[in-house]
Amino acid sequence: LVIRFRNQHGLASQVHQRLRHSHYSEWPTLQAFALEQHLSPSTFRRKLGREGCSYQEIKDEVRRALAFEWLRQSKANISEIAEQLGFQESSAFHRAFKKWTGESPGRYRARFRVRSE
């Protein structure tokens, strides 16, 4: 994330910050975000593309980063975290997390709990 969003004033960085600091249910659609930026959706996509990413990739990166953070630092159970991240079912979160890391959210959390004790 540090390398991708190095340009702190770039559109990708603005999108990342906006999503990072809002609840998933408040994340705007691509069209709504484009309108907020006074851009057409196609221009918005093109500008993000020039920065090497897409709106969906940024959303996925933010979800992943929040999942890691919340599993390490939060006392919320895994199904609550899945819901906060916008997963319709906790099983979908488990599958996504396993795809990202190769391990279950519970195992990931347990690894960090052992280190901090």
Side-chain angles (χ1 to χ4, degrees), residues 4 16 22 24 32 43-44 46 51-52 56 70 73 76 84 89 92-93 97 104:
R4 180 175 285 221
H16 183 270
S22 334
Y24 182 81
T43 300
F44 183 76
R46 209 171 22 257
E51 294 184 32
Q56 186 61 51
W70 292 344
Q73 299 172 2
Q84 291 294 312
E89 298 179 11
F93 174 61
F97 197 86
S104 72

Side-chain angles (χ1 to χ4, degrees), residues 12-70:
S13 180
Q14 291 174 35
V15 171
H16 183 270
Q17 289 302 315
R18 165 76 186 282
L19 298 180
R20 181 93 168 106
H21 298 292
S22 334
H23 186 273
Y24 182 81
S25 64
E26 298 169 350
W27 287 7
T29 63
L30 181 142
Q31 290 78 9
F33 206 114
L35 287 175
E36 288 176 16
Q37 298 294 312
H38 306 290
L39 299 169
S40 70
S42 58
T43 300
F44 183 76
R45 274 190 213 93
R46 209 171 22 257
K47 285 182 173 243
L48 285 177
R50 279 192 219 122
E51 294 184 32
C53 58
S54 71
Y55 188 61
Q56 186 61 51
E57 288 170 338
I58 296 170
K59 288 188 340 182
D60 292 343
E61 287 176 10
V62 170
R63 277 176 119 185
R64 189 170 35 249
L66 289 172
F68 294 153
E69 180 180 317
W70 292 344

